């Protein structure tokens, strides 16, 4: 049985409603019932009230759509269970007693919902209430829906919105019924699932193989129309749209080139937001290729099936009046802040910024020649490629095992860069170019850290080439790494090697110091510091999440820095 974060199986629906009301001052529970109502029921006097509902497990439907401009109240059942007749009737009575001039029940087309809401309606009418019911069936799954008709699924939320905007504008019950009925006939929805869902305390309602997806499932895990191998997002969307618009399908929605639609891309509960965005983009592109204008696009969780990893697409053909109703304001917490404009995959991109001019080339005479620089850089590249496997092996013990793979592309990129042009001779220009190269070609946090170091060092070296300038530059680079990276010496990172080398390089500030001997001392210090990291407890980076008892080896970043410094020598 799948794990669920609930207090009890029997109380999960009540707890969910209580949580929603706790977090929303505009909602109230009806005592003794699973009914949520607007807190400002006095605003209903003289207007049509809207009541909907159904089983729990479809959150944010239905209670998330209670608010000014949408529903007046909802009646909830247990998970995937129709609400009781008594609770529906109690909600109708409250709205009638609040002075509503009419009450419209918006019901999804499921037998239990139709029966329970229908019986409550008949009872209320016998008490003198003016109550009507609209049954929404927007499912496009079945080519021949049969006697039961099309299931009511996510498109019902759009009907809530249209009816709510009309009621808020003062429309009468007959007008609202007429207009939402017309809208319902111009709407279709189709679902696609990668996984089943499970009611709390129960096993999954069905099984899908690892390489399968199912087209046309209901929001309770009811069987769809076809199982197929997992498709790409583009292929899945194309399959869904073809099925939804196929004239041989009795449940299809008619889309003609040039028509405008509201698109709803609904997460069935367990799909990642990343996947949902990919599906949304694919849907917009496919519809535009068919000549359809997407007047509005809503993307998110609107009517779920617990934790089902899947998506549904809803299309509502709209005219200007219907679009105004969709755009009308509402305080319902689950209705998104929809941008008042069309969706399109053809938006003009903002031009990329022009490159900032680099340092003037008149510095070229102040540093080493291009040939010695190339030799040093080639040694650095060869060293990094030679120790690639070693770095990966060290990183596997504390990170994700890619330290060598991260440094190797940098080495290849530097070699390619040197083949394309001679490196600048001026030290500051050289380090600036290397910083840009590593930021572009070197992945992970290492690329950013090296980029920070080189950028800060380059600024310090600008216009200077004396030995002391290199000591100052290394200190500047380390300070930048610490400021943004958050690590310090002793945290078992590349900084341990760098700081040890920097300390030795301070001797360059002493007049008459031999740069070569100072560099030799810096390399030796870096190597000793890298080896010493095996005895440190990690204070930063991925290794900080690993128990220190498992870190019985040097830090790969520190080893890489020591190797680079050795190659420079």
């Amino acid at each position: 049985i799948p794990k669920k974060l609930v207090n009890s199986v029997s109380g999960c629906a009540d707890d969910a409603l209580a949580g929603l009301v706790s977090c929303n001052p505009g909602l109230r529970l009806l005592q003794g019932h699973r009914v949520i109502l607007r807190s400002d029921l006095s605003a209903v006097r003289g207007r049509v009230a809207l009541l909907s509902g159904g089983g729990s497990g479809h959150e944010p439907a239905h209670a998330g759509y209670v608010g000014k401009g949408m529903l007046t109240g909802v009646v909830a059942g247990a998970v995937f269970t129709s609400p009781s007749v008594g609770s529906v009737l109690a909600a109708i009575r409250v709205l009638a007693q609040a002075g509503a001039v009419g009450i419209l029940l918006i019901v999804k087309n499921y037998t239990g919902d139709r029966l329970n809401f229908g019986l409550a309606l008949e009872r209320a009418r016998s008490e003198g209430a003016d109550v009507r019911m609209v049954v929404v069936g927007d499912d496009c799954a079945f080519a021949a829906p049969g006697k039961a008709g099309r299931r009511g699924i996510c498109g019902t939320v759009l009907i809530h919105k249209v009816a709510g905007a009309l009621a808020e504008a003062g429309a009468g019950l007959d007008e609202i019924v007429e207009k939402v009925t017309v809208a319902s006939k111009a709407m279709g929805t189709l679902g696609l699932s990668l996984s089943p869902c499970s009611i709390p305390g129960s096993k999954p309602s069905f099984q899908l193989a690892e390489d399968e997806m199912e087209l046309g499932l209901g929001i309770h895990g009811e069987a769809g129309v076809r199982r197929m191998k997992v498709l790409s997002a583009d292929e899945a969307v194309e399959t869904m749209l073809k099925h939804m618009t196929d004239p041989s399908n009795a449940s299809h929605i008619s889309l003609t080139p040039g028509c405008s639609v509201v698109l709803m891309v609904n997460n069935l509960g367990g799909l990642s937001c990343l996947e949902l965005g990919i599906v949304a983009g694919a849907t917009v592109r496919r519809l535009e290729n068919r000549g359809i204008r997407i007047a509005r696009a809503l993307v998110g969780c609107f009517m779920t099936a617990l934790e089902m990893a899947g998506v549904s697409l809803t299309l509502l053909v709209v005219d200007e009046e219907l679009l105004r109703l969709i755009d009308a304001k509402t305080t319902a917490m689950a209705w998104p802040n929809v941008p008042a404009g069309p969706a399109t995959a053809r938006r003009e991109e903002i031009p990329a910024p022009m490159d900032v001019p680099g340092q003037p080339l008149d510095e070229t005479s102040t540093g080493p020649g291009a040939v010695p620089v190339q030799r040093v850089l080639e040694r650095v590249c060869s060293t990094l490629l030679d120790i690639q496997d070693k770095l990966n092996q060290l990183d596997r013990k504390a990170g994700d095992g890619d330290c060598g793979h991260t440094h190797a592309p940098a080495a290849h990129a530097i070699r390619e860069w040197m083949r394309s042009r001679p490196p600048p001779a001026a030290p500051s220009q050289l380090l600036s170019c290397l910083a840009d190269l590593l930021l572009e070609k070197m992945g992970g946090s290492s690329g950013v850290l090296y980029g920070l170091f080189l950028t800060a060092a380059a600024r310090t070296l600008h216009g200077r080439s004396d030995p002391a300038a290199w000591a100052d530059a290394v200190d500047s680079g380390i300070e930048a790494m610490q400021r943004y990276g958050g690590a310090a010496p002793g945290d078992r990172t590349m900084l341990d090697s760098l700081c040890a080398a920097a300390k030795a390089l301070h001797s360059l500030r002493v007049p008459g110091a031999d740069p070569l001997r100072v560099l030799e001392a810096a390399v030796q210090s870096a190597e000793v510091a890298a080896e010493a990291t095996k005895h440190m407890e990690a204070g930063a980076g991925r290794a900080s999440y690993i128990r220190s008892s498992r870190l019985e080896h040097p830090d790969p970043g520190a080893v890489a820095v020591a190797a680079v410094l050795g190659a420079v020598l």
Side-chain angles (χ1 to χ4, degrees):
I1 296 177
K3 292 176 285 189
K4 301 284 184 182
L5 196 59
V6 299
N7 295 316
S8 69
V9 171
S10 60
C12 59
D14 295 302
D15 288 348
L17 293 176
L20 185 69
V21 172
S22 299
C23 298
N24 192 323
L27 301 180
R28 294 289 187 275
L29 277 164
L30 180 61
Q31 187 177 19
H33 297 277
R34 286 197 191 107
V35 173
I36 285 186
L37 298 163
R38 284 173 56 175
S39 60
D40 59 341
L41 284 181
S42 58
V44 176
R45 180 170 298 279
R47 297 178 183 271
V48 172
L50 306 176
L51 192 64
S52 188
S56 297
H58 305 303
E59 291 74 19
H62 300 80
Y65 303 113
V66 175
K68 182 179 179 181
M70 282 193 81
L71 299 176
T72 318
V74 299
V75 191
V79 176
F80 291 177
T81 304
S82 296
S84 68
V85 175
S87 289
V88 177
L89 183 58
I92 293 173
R93 286 170 174 165
V94 168
L95 298 179
Q97 291 166 15
V101 295
I103 300 167
L104 177 61
L105 310 183
I106 302 173
V107 180
K108 299 188 304 300
N109 187 29
Y110 291 99
T111 302
D113 289 356
R114 288 199 320 269
L115 288 173
N116 291 6
F117 276 87
L119 179 52
L121 177 148
E122 295 298 332
R123 293 271 302 275
R125 280 181 175 173
S126 69
E127 297 172 2
D130 186 8
V131 189
R132 300 276 294 277
M133 184 164 80
V134 169
V135 178
V136 181
D138 55 313
D139 188 10
C140 291
F142 297 100
K147 190 174 182 180
R150 300 165 68 185
R151 296 176 296 202
I153 43 182
C154 192
T156 309
V157 176
L158 294 177
I159 299 304
H160 291 163
K161 184 64 181 65
V162 171
L166 287 166
E168 187 62 32
L173 187 56
D174 289 341
E175 181 185 354
I176 296 174
V177 169
E178 178 186 352
K179 289 187 175 178
V180 299
T181 300
V182 171
S184 295
K185 292 177 180 177
M187 180 174 66
T189 299
L190 186 65
L192 178 75
S193 181
L194 303 174
S195 80
C197 59
S198 58
I199 294 173
S202 302
K203 294 180 179 179
S205 54
F206 64 95
Q207 295 294 331
L208 275 174
E210 287 295 319
D211 62 346
E212 282 186 327
M213 52 174 39
E214 186 158 350
L215 184 70
L217 279 84
I219 53 173
H220 310 95
E222 307 97 322
V225 292
R226 188 184 355 152
R227 288 194 176 188
M228 51 196 177
K229 296 298 182 182
V230 172
L231 303 173
S232 70
D234 281 338
E235 293 169 328
V237 166
E238 181 63 24
T239 299
M240 294 175 77
L241 292 176
K242 278 185 177 178
H243 189 89
M244 294 174 72
T245 58
D246 183 356
S248 66
N249 176 0
S251 302
H252 79 283
I253 176 173
S254 296
L255 297 180
T256 56
C259 73
S260 293
V261 299
V262 168
L263 165 67
M264 182 175 273
V265 183
N266 173 53
N267 190 337
L268 287 170
L271 204 68
S272 70
C273 293
L274 181 142
E275 293 165 281
L276 195 67
I278 293 170
V279 171
T283 308
V284 169
R285 288 194 302 274
R286 300 281 171 164
L287 287 172
E288 284 192 313
N289 290 342
R290 294 165 179 250
I292 308 302
R293 179 178 182 269
I294 305 100
R296 301 289 183 271
L298 292 72
V299 183
C301 288
F302 302 106
M303 185 174 289
T304 63
L306 292 169
E307 81 279 30
M308 183 181 286
V311 64
S312 67
L313 302 179
T314 299
L315 296 171
L316 170 64
V317 179
V318 294
D319 55 17
E320 289 188 10
E321 180 188 9
L322 204 50
L323 194 57
R324 280 196 299 271
L325 298 172
I326 293 292
D327 285 341
K329 291 184 178 180
T330 177
T331 62
M333 63 184 301
W335 184 259
N337 183 22
V338 185
T344 178
R346 301 164 184 166
R347 299 197 197 283
E348 184 178 348
E349 295 183 345
I350 296 173
M354 297 179 64
D355 289 338
V356 177
Q359 297 173 6
L361 295 178
D362 57 10
E363 280 197 59
T364 52
S365 61
T366 63
V371 173
V373 168
Q374 282 181 302
R375 282 202 297 264
V376 170
L377 290 178
E378 179 56 40
R379 285 200 304 271
V380 169
C381 294
S382 297
T383 299
L384 289 176
L385 293 174
D386 288 343
I387 65 171
Q388 178 179 354
D389 291 339
K390 176 183 177 181
L391 295 178
N392 285 338
Q393 186 177 4
L394 290 173
D395 196 31
R396 271 193 286 273
K397 308 237 177 110
D400 50 10
D402 69 345
C403 185
H405 292 326
T406 300
H407 284 75
H412 290 303
I414 292 171
R415 280 179 167 174
E416 182 65 29
W417 173 64
M418 288 192 296
R419 279 196 291 267
S420 65
R421 67 189 69 117
S428 63
Q429 282 184 273
L430 175 64
L431 297 194
S432 289
C433 290
L434 289 173
D436 291 342
L437 192 65
L438 296 188
L439 287 169
E440 180 183 354
K441 301 294 185 181
M442 190 175 184
S445 57
S446 296
V448 180
L449 288 169
Y450 281 121
L452 279 169
F453 177 85
L454 292 168
T455 299
R459 280 201 303 270
T460 301
L461 283 172
H462 185 63
R464 298 176 61 187
S465 62
D466 55 293
W470 288 95
D472 296 341
V474 172
D475 284 350
S476 296
I478 289 173
E479 192 275 330
M481 291 174 72
Q482 288 183 280
R483 186 189 320 138
Y484 296 107
D491 281 344
R492 198 181 186 277
T493 69
M494 65 170 66
L495 268 176
D496 292 299
S497 293
L498 269 176
C499 289
K503 189 173 181 181
L505 290 173
H506 289 173
S507 297
L508 291 173
R509 295 171 180 149
V510 177
D514 183 346
L516 189 59
R517 289 194 174 183
V518 172
L519 184 55
E520 287 175 347
V523 171
Q524 186 177 7
S525 297
E527 290 172 344
V528 171
E531 185 65 19
T533 58
K534 68 163 65 173
H535 305 299
M536 296 178 183
E537 183 172 341
R542 282 199 178 101
S544 62
Y545 302 107
I546 308 294
R547 291 197 306 272
S548 58
S549 60
R550 291 174 54 191
L551 300 175
E552 300 173 350
H553 51 84
D555 176 72
V559 170
V561 166
V564 168
L565 289 172
V568 170
L569 181 62

